[in-house]
Amino acid sequence: MAKHAVLSSGAKLWRSLPCAKSELRLELTLACGQTFRWRETAEGHWTGVIGGRVWTLTQTEDTLWYYVYTHQSGAGGENSSEDSLRAESVSASHHSEVEAEMLRDYFQLHVKLGDLYKEWGAADSHFKKISDIFTGVRMLRQDPIECLFSFICTSNNHISRIQGMVERLCQTLGSPLCQLDQTSYHDFPTLSALADSGVEERLRDLGFGYRARFLQQSAKQILDTHGPQWLVGLRNVPYLEARDSLRTLPGVGTKVADCVCLMCLDKCEAVPVDTHVWQIAKRDYKYTSDNGQKTLTEKVHKDIGDFFRKLWGPYAGWAHSVLFCGDLKKFQNLKEMTGLKQPKNEEERERECKGLKMKREFDLHQKKKKPKSERQKKAKMFVKTEEV
C-alpha cells in the first residue's frame, strides 16, 4: 500500500518552488478555517486535494516542496520501448509545469504578502503587534464549487466538525483518487452529484441536519438557473454583485457569501463578519458604531466591513484573515511563547467580574459571621466561669 510522502525519505522525488516562510506558512494558512481538507500527515507535512490531484506539501525556510501522487497504469516493465519512455518523460515534464502553476495559483504567490504586511502594520498598530507573530497567512484561491459548498456546512458549526462533514461529503459523492496509509482521498463532488434528488436524505443520514437540504437545493438551483460555469464566472463581476448573486442560494447568507467572494472569487476587499470578527472589532479596535446592538444585523455587517476596508485598503479581506487566525484558540501557544496573552472577550470579562463580585460577597458574609462567632465563644466561656 502506498504511503504518505516525507521529504526526508526521498527528496529527489519532490519538486519545489522558491517561497520564503514570511510569504507562506503552511501550518497557519491551511489550518485557519478557510479550507477544510488538509491534514498534517507527518510533522510539517500537509496532505490534501487540489484540482483532482492529491498533494503533500512541506517547506523549508525559503522553499515550498510538493509531492503529487499519480496513478501509473501499464507504464514501464520489460516491454517498454525507448519511444514510450521518452513520451513519459515529456509528459512528466508537462505535468510538472502544470502542477507548479496550479500551486502558484492556489496560494496566489504573485501577491507579495510581505509588502502588504508592511502597509497594514504602518496603518494599524494592533495589526503590527499580531502580524509579528502570525507571519505568512495567505488567502487561498480555491475551486468555487468546493469553497461554496464547504462554507454552506459552516452554519452554526466549528472547524473540526466542519472538516468531518466535508470529508464525509467527498467520500460519499466524490470520485476516488488514491489511498495512502489506509486513508482514502476523493475529489470534491460535482454540481451534478450534489444536485441529485437523493442527496438530501443521504446527507441527513450522515449527520448534516438542515444543511443537507441547502447543499442539494443550491446545487440544483445553480444548474437549473445559471449553468455549471456560473460560479467561476462570478470572478469577473464586481464584489457586491457577486455577493448578492450568491445570497440568492439556499443556505447562503452575507457571511458565507463574503467568505466565498474572498476565498475563491478574487474579491480581496470582502471582509467576512461573524460574531468572532465582531468581537475583535469591539475588543481590539474599540468599535462602538453598533450602539450596543446585541445581534449581528446587515447594517452591523456592512459597517464593520467598511470600517476595516477604510483601515486596511483593497486587500482588507487578507488582513482580516491574519487577525482571525491570530484569535483562534488552537494558535494561542504562539502568543504565549512571545509573551503576548490572548485578550479577554466580553463574555470572559463578564464571567470574571461576576466571579469577583461573588467572591467579594462571600468574603463580606464571612467577615460578618466571624465577630458573631467570637461573641458566642466569649458568652459560652462566661457562662462556664459563672458555673464554676
Side-chain angles (χ1 to χ4, degrees):
M1 181 182 294
K3 295 183 177 295
H4 290 97
V6 180
L7 183 63
S8 59
S9 298
K12 290 181 180 179
L13 299 175
W14 290 66
R15 301 188 182 100
S16 65
L17 291 173
C19 181
K21 279 191 174 182
S22 59
E23 288 291 316
L24 168 66
R25 279 173 67 186
L26 293 175
E27 76 274 17
L28 298 180
T29 300
L30 297 179
C32 69
Q34 56 176 311
T35 180
F36 305 101
R37 298 204 64 200
W38 291 91
R39 300 291 184 277
E40 191 173 18
T41 48
E43 186 176 356
H45 290 64
W46 295 82
T47 303
V49 179
I50 310 173
R53 295 168 167 86
V54 181
W55 307 61
T56 292
L57 309 176
T58 190
Q59 61 187 148
T60 48
E61 203 59 41
D62 57 2
T63 305
L64 174 62
W65 295 87
Y66 62 99
Y67 186 102
V68 186
Y69 302 88
T70 57
H71 294 288
Q72 295 184 359
S73 55
E78 293 180 357
N79 297 324
S80 294
S81 67
E82 186 176 338
D83 287 342
S84 67
L85 288 172
R86 187 179 297 112
E88 287 171 28
S89 177
V90 172
S91 176
S93 177
H94 171 71
H95 281 304
S96 177
E97 292 174 11
V98 169
E99 288 158 356
E101 188 52 41
M102 287 174 68
L103 211 54
R104 290 189 194 98
D105 181 71
Y106 186 71
F107 286 110
Q108 304 194 72
L109 295 181
H110 64 282
V111 177
K112 302 303 180 186
L113 191 61
D115 294 342
L116 289 176
Y117 267 56
K118 288 177 183 176
E119 291 177 19
W120 298 326
D124 176 0
S125 59
H126 176 70
F127 179 91
K128 178 69 169 63
K129 183 169 59 175
I130 299 298
S131 66
D132 284 346
I133 305 167
F134 292 89
T135 56
V137 180
R138 301 189 74 87
M139 288 310 309
L140 303 175
R141 190 176 193 248
Q142 302 177 61
D143 172 76
I145 294 173
E146 177 174 342
C147 187
L148 169 63
F149 288 91
S150 293
F151 273 92
I152 289 176
C153 295
T154 64
S155 174
N156 297 316
N157 226 335
H158 54 80
I159 291 177
S160 60
R161 188 160 180 262
I162 298 163
Q163 288 174 331
M165 292 174 73
V166 172
E167 200 52 49
R168 291 195 297 277
L169 184 68
C170 295
Q171 289 174 357
T172 305
L173 301 174
S175 301
L177 297 175
C178 70
Q179 187 167 354
L180 305 169
D181 290 320
Q182 299 182 333
T183 299
S184 296
Y185 290 88
H186 293 70
D187 205 357
F188 200 84
T190 62
L191 281 173
S192 298
L194 289 162
D196 186 85
S197 58
V199 161
E200 180 180 348
E201 185 177 351
R202 292 178 70 184
L203 294 182
R204 282 188 181 275
D205 290 341
L206 292 172
F208 280 70
Y210 62 88
R211 304 171 193 86
R213 178 168 55 88
F214 292 152
L215 291 164
Q216 191 272 334
Q217 288 186 350
S218 287
K220 189 174 187 303
Q221 182 172 315
I222 290 171
L223 288 176
D224 291 351
T225 308
H226 305 290
Q229 298 303 311
W230 176 68
L231 278 174
V232 173
L234 292 179
R235 286 176 169 169
N236 301 317
V237 304
Y239 158 51
L240 292 179
E241 183 181 336
R243 189 184 72 176
D244 290 344
S245 296
L246 290 167
R247 289 177 63 192
T248 64
L249 299 172
V252 179
T254 304
K255 181 251 181 176
V256 168
D258 268 338
C259 286
V260 177
C261 282
L262 175 64
M263 299 170 190
C264 69
L265 298 182
D266 304 337
K267 316 305 181 197
C268 302
E269 70 271 41
V271 178
V273 178
D274 57 7
T275 54
H276 192 72
V277 174
W278 189 14
Q279 185 64 53
I280 291 174
K282 290 192 290 186
R283 185 193 66 211
D284 300 326
Y285 292 88
K286 312 306 177 192
Y287 177 83
T288 57
S289 297
D290 52 24
N291 295 317
Q293 185 77 37
K294 296 297 183 183
T295 57
L296 188 54
T297 63
E298 287 295 317
K299 184 179 185 305
V300 171
H301 194 293
K302 178 184 182 301
D303 289 348
I304 291 176
D306 289 343
F307 171 80
F308 283 128
R309 278 185 282 274
K310 183 177 180 181
L311 178 63
W312 294 324
Y315 277 80
W318 285 53
H320 141 279
S321 71
V322 179
L323 293 191
F324 185 89
C325 178
D327 219 51
L328 292 175
K329 287 184 178 179
K330 66 167 72 177
F331 297 132
Q332 292 315 301
N333 62 313
L334 296 177
K335 287 184 175 179
E336 290 167 4
M337 288 166 59
T338 58
L340 182 62
K341 292 184 178 180
Q342 169 74 352
K344 295 180 175 65
N345 60 32
E346 282 186 359
E347 289 183 4
E348 289 170 332
R349 284 199 296 268
E350 190 175 327
R351 284 197 299 269
E352 189 177 84
C353 290
K354 191 174 181 181
L356 288 171
K357 183 180 179 183
M358 290 175 65
K359 185 177 185 302
R360 283 197 296 268
E361 289 175 352
F362 177 78
D363 291 344
L364 186 60
H365 181 64
Q366 291 298 100
K367 280 184 179 180
K368 288 179 179 177
K369 285 177 66 178
K370 189 174 180 181
K372 183 178 178 182
S373 176
E374 287 176 352
R375 285 197 302 272
Q376 287 174 339
K377 287 180 181 178
K378 288 180 179 179
K380 287 180 180 178
M381 289 174 63
F382 178 76
V383 169
K384 287 181 179 179
T385 305
E386 287 290 309
E387 292 174 351
V388 174

